[in-house]
Amino acid sequence: MRGPFGSVRAKATLGATVVVAIALVAAGTAVLLSLRSNLNGQAGTQAERSAREVAADLSGGASYDRLRLDDDQRPVQVVDAKGVLVAASEDLRRISGTGTLAVKPRPQQTAPAAGAGDAADDRSGDDHGGDDKSDDKGGDGKGGDDKSGDGRGKDGRGRGGGEDDDYPSLEPGQIGAEVTFSEGSATLDGDTADYRFAAVEVSVKSKGALTVYAGAPLSAEQGAVRTALTVMLTGFPLLLAVVSAVTWRVTRRALRPVEGIRSEMAAITASEDLARRVPVPDTQDEVAGLARTTNETLAALETSVERQRRFVADASHELRNPIASLRTQLEVGAAHPELLDVTGAVEDTVRLQRLAADLLLLARLDAGERPSGTRFDLAALAREEVSRRPGVTVEGASAEVVGSRGQLARLLGNLLDNARRHARGRVAVTLRTEGTWAVLEVADDGAGVPAADRERIFERFVRLDEARSRDDGGAGLGLAIARDVALRHGGTLTVGEARGGGALFTLRLPGPAA
């Protein structure tokens, strides 16, 4: 029982749909990744530009309270070398993903005392970012210290390393060329969003090394990715449905002639009428080629069946006469023993034996029996066959061939018997080689074969009028057998006119190296 995908149409549709689906998923994934990467890059560029603008103001000597931190409505933080927040956007309420979680800068003190001032500063906090412990240890949103490392710089972007960090020292007023990017979130003026942060180093006289963090929103990137994903999730199934429908219809249209061929073949098989042919489509594609080949096969089969029927009818006719003659002689001998024609009975029996042998050989040849690969001298075989038939001459050099010695002996015997039957007095056999081919000719001085009959005489049970009048028992199978044997050996057998008149049969066989 055929399954749901047992037909060629269903398999083609399923295969096309699966391939297109895989291609669409791969292409969609690549598009989404590329889109996200490009938009992230743009956000990083915007964040870097904002950070460098603030760093430029600092390097120009601007004080913290004069920095342009709220112009673009983006979160900005300025952190000193100890990781202490010294400036931030005014509307910033919460932030993560930078060097500190603090959102309110520490009040600046003038000329703090060495040691004591620092200790006091370390113990003072702000109302949103907690005490300085959270400033120094922030950065991962959990109050951890700078060693937590969030991938935002060579020293964790929490700074706290002072002058011992890995960054090259900057001259006062110089802005670092290296930019470190990170991602996080921030609440600005009551709105929480995801941002891409850029960290830029700047050295300021009287302030030391500072780090400017500036963020650019990722809402455009996230919205674009969501929109593209929605379009893909909506459009891809529709596109796959269209591909499936088109493939189904195109395949059905392409296979329609095949169904016509199949149905016609089924009708031919049921009716046993080999004269019918399958329809050939007008297209010049593989299906049309299949239809033409099918018709050629039907024609060859019809010819073969017709030939077989004619062969059976002719064989029955040829067998009926000697059997009837032999039966008559035996019945007469049984009734009148003194009238029994023993010689005639033997001749009829021999004729029946030869006819049966010829029919058996033709049956084997029709069944596709291939000759053996024995290598022997064709000239020696010709002399052997000539020695059994007086009045036949043979001349020529040796010529080696490969094949069945018995079948080729039968071929030569049929040619010699046919020539002797029609010759007036001379039959000559000559051999020669032409390149890698062995050529054997049998010529007689008889009446010859008319040009119109030179192919017909090789048909089975065909005898010319003269042969019928002079035949001594042949059934018209000798030359048919001779040509079939020649063809099975890869050679040819033709008839023409001899130089002095009469028939000239030419046998060409390939040599061992042909």
Side-chain angles (χ1 to χ4, degrees):
M1 183 177 178
R2 189 168 65 179
F5 296 103
S7 65
V8 175
R9 190 190 315 171
K11 292 178 180 177
T13 302
L14 178 62
T17 304
V18 170
V19 170
V20 172
I22 293 175
L24 289 177
V25 170
T29 302
V31 168
L32 290 178
L33 292 177
S34 177
L35 178 62
R36 181 175 182 180
S37 176
N38 291 335
L39 294 178
N40 274 346
Q42 293 178 9
T45 302
Q46 295 174 1
E48 180 183 359
R49 183 169 60 248
S50 298
R52 289 192 178 278
E53 289 177 355
V54 175
D57 292 342
L58 289 171
S59 66
S63 61
Y64 294 142
D65 56 351
R66 294 184 177 273
L67 294 177
R68 294 174 298 172
L69 304 181
D70 300 302
D71 290 352
D72 296 332
Q73 291 297 313
R74 294 174 181 173
V76 179
Q77 287 180 314
V78 180
V79 180
D80 64 9
K82 296 181 180 180
V84 177
L85 182 68
V86 294
S89 299
E90 183 178 357
D91 296 329
L92 183 64
R93 296 294 179 264
R94 189 184 63 82
I95 193 169
S96 64
T98 60
T100 177
L101 298 177
V103 295
K104 291 297 182 180
R106 172 187 301 175
Q108 299 297 308
Q109 299 180 5
T110 59
D118 291 343
D121 288 341
D122 289 342
R123 288 190 299 269
S124 63
D126 57 79
D127 53 348
H128 291 280
D131 58 15
D132 285 339
K133 292 181 181 179
S134 65
D135 288 346
D136 292 341
K137 298 180 181 180
D140 59 356
K142 298 180 181 179
D145 58 14
D146 291 336
K147 293 184 289 183
S148 63
D150 54 5
R152 293 183 294 273
K154 293 182 179 180
D155 61 351
R157 297 303 334 151
R159 302 301 298 166
E163 301 298 330
D164 295 333
D165 57 18
D166 295 332
Y167 281 91
S169 60
L170 299 176
E171 297 294 332
Q174 185 178 2
I175 301 175
E178 183 177 350
V179 181
T180 304
F181 295 97
S182 61
E183 292 186 6
S185 63
T187 301
L188 197 65
D189 197 17
D191 296 328
T192 302
D194 294 329
Y195 289 86
R196 185 167 179 81
F197 293 99
V200 176
E201 299 284 333
V202 61
S203 178
V204 180
K205 188 177 181 180
S206 75
K207 293 183 177 66
L210 301 175
T211 303
V212 178
Y213 293 94
L218 294 176
S219 57
E221 175 262 339
Q222 294 172 348
V225 171
R226 281 195 299 268
T227 301
L229 182 60
T230 302
V231 171
M232 291 179 183
L233 293 178
T234 304
F236 282 5
L238 296 178
L239 182 58
L240 290 177
V242 172
V243 170
S244 300
V246 171
T247 305
W248 181 269
R249 292 180 62 86
V250 170
T251 307
R252 182 179 63 180
R253 184 180 181 86
L255 293 178
R256 186 177 301 164
V258 177
E259 177 60 24
I261 295 173
R262 186 207 63 78
S263 60
E264 184 63 23
M265 287 296 295
I268 292 173
T269 303
S271 64
E272 298 183 0
D273 183 8
L274 296 178
R276 298 174 61 174
R277 296 294 181 265
V278 300
V280 179
D282 297 333
T283 58
Q284 299 297 323
D285 55 9
E286 292 81 357
V287 177
L290 173 63
R292 287 191 292 269
T293 302
T294 302
N295 285 337
E296 292 172 0
T297 303
L298 288 174
L301 183 60
E302 181 186 12
T303 301
S304 176
V305 171
E306 183 61 29
R307 182 180 179 183
Q308 195 71 18
R309 290 173 179 172
R310 187 168 60 249
F311 175 78
V312 172
D314 292 339
S316 300
H317 176 73
E318 293 295 332
L319 288 171
R320 183 179 58 186
N321 290 338
I323 291 176
S325 175
L326 182 59
R327 177 180 178 181
T328 300
Q329 294 180 46
L330 293 176
E331 289 177 350
V332 170
H336 306 283
E338 69 279 4
L339 299 178
L340 178 62
D341 184 6
V342 178
T343 303
V346 171
E347 291 178 353
D348 287 340
T349 303
V350 172
R351 183 181 178 187
L352 281 174
Q353 183 180 7
R354 291 177 180 173
L355 181 57
D358 289 344
L359 294 175
L360 180 60
L361 178 57
L362 285 173
R364 293 205 307 267
L365 294 175
D366 288 342
E369 179 180 303
R370 293 294 178 182
S372 59
T374 305
R375 182 171 178 173
F376 58 92
D377 185 8
L378 184 62
L381 179 62
R383 293 188 183 93
E384 182 180 332
E385 292 297 321
V386 167
S387 65
R388 298 192 182 101
R389 295 166 177 84
V392 181
T393 62
V394 60
E395 61 180 11
S398 62
E400 289 191 341
V401 295
V402 177
S404 172
R405 183 181 177 90
Q407 291 184 8
L408 290 178
R410 184 67 174 276
L411 185 156
L412 293 176
N414 289 350
L415 292 180
L416 293 175
D417 291 342
N418 179 77
R420 292 180 64 203
R421 231 177 354 253
H422 297 84
R424 294 188 179 94
R426 183 182 64 85
V427 176
V429 178
T430 58
L431 288 102
R432 68 178 186 277
T433 56
E434 295 180 356
T436 58
W437 290 78
V439 181
L440 182 144
E441 295 179 342
V442 178
D444 63 65
D445 57 356
V449 180
D453 296 324
R454 288 177 182 174
E455 282 298 319
R456 195 168 69 89
I457 62 173
F458 292 108
E459 297 179 5
R460 298 175 183 183
F461 299 105
V462 171
R463 289 174 292 179
L464 303 183
D465 293 340
E466 182 185 357
R468 291 183 181 274
S469 61
R470 299 182 58 187
D471 203 349
D472 59 354
L477 294 176
L479 294 180
I481 292 175
R483 170 164 280 190
D484 282 353
V485 171
L487 294 177
R488 291 296 188 277
H489 283 76
T492 60
L493 177 61
T494 58
V495 61
E497 184 176 356
R499 293 182 180 180
L504 174 64
F505 286 86
T506 303
L507 172 66
R508 296 172 59 86
L509 294 174

